[in-house]
Amino acid sequence: MSQLEKAQAEYEGFTQDFESVIISTVNEQGIPNGSYTPFVMDDAKNIYIYVSGLSTHTQNIYTNPHVCVLFIEDETKTNQIFARRRLSFDCTATLIERESDIWNQVVDQFQQRFGEIIEVLRGLADFRIFRLTPTQGRFVIGFGAAYHISGDRLNQLTQITSDKA
């Protein structure tokens, strides 16, 4: 198996062990905000987040729908703190209309994944579901092993070399 094939296989399963994702948003003054949120993901790699309308990151998404998400290896599992395995996607956020068919499907997925708390959140009018649609990404396995992610289904990895950095 080639290095690219190994990276591809690792990329395909990387997000399976994550229940939450780190999100970066920007407010109208251009000030960044980092936060996290539980998520569910569909087969097209769209990431759905169920967030309070009162949170800073939600307000920022309304102002600027460009969001970056980061999945990063647990520090206790890494061999080298300077080279933690990580996956990031540049995304565009779209609000899912409350009580629409897709909203109900996504809430059901959240319920299956996270249990009773979703019943509570479902009753809170300020909670919103956004679909974060990735446009491109980057997958880093270690030193000298970084890949640009592209393609219609975000399934094409291209190794980043020093002349592309």
Side-chain angles (χ1 to χ4, degrees):
M1 184 180 290
S2 73
Q3 183 178 352
L4 182 59
E5 290 170 329
K6 287 178 186 174
Q8 185 79 42
E10 192 168 338
Y11 163 65
E12 292 301 327
F14 189 71
T15 60
Q16 291 176 358
D17 292 333
F18 292 88
E19 291 187 353
S20 65
V21 62
I22 297 169
I23 64 172
S24 298
T25 60
V26 178
N27 71 13
E28 59 190 12
Q29 291 82 32
I31 298 171
N33 174 260
S35 191
Y36 87 98
T37 182
F39 75 97
V40 295
M41 184 182 288
D42 66 20
D43 292 337
K45 296 192 177 45
N46 291 305
I47 299 159
Y48 296 87
I49 59 173
Y50 200 9
V51 292
S52 170
L54 305 174
S55 69
T56 300
H57 52 261
T58 302
Q59 293 304 308
N60 289 351
I61 289 171
Y62 280 123
T63 300
N64 182 345
H66 300 286
V67 177
C68 183
V69 298
L70 175 67
F71 301 90
I72 189 164
E73 178 179 43
D74 187 316
E75 287 183 3
T76 62
K77 294 180 181 175
T78 189
N79 294 325
Q80 174 48 259
I81 196 67
F82 285 93
R84 285 167 70 187
R85 294 179 322 139
R86 57 202 178 272
L87 169 63
S88 63
F89 288 118
D90 297 334
C91 302
T92 302
T94 306
L95 180 66
I96 302 297
E97 185 180 335
R98 193 171 183 91
E99 299 300 334
S100 66
D101 288 344
I102 185 78
W103 189 90
N104 284 312
Q105 289 171 7
V106 172
V107 169
D108 288 346
Q109 291 174 354
F110 270 95
Q111 177 107 31
Q112 290 170 4
R113 189 163 193 199
F114 299 107
E116 290 179 29
I117 186 68
I118 302 305
E119 281 301 317
V120 173
L121 300 181
R122 194 175 206 150
L124 299 176
D126 71 299
F127 268 74
R128 314 277 187 266
I129 295 176
F130 288 94
R131 177 178 46 239
L132 306 181
T133 304
T135 55
Q136 65 177 349
R138 183 173 281 211
F139 184 49
V140 178
I141 300 171
F143 291 122
Y147 299 85
H148 177 74
I149 302 166
S150 62
D152 292 342
R153 299 194 52 79
L154 294 169
N155 59 358
Q156 296 173 357
L157 270 61
T158 306
Q159 187 162 15
I160 299 169
T161 57
S162 60
D163 60 326
K164 295 180 187 175

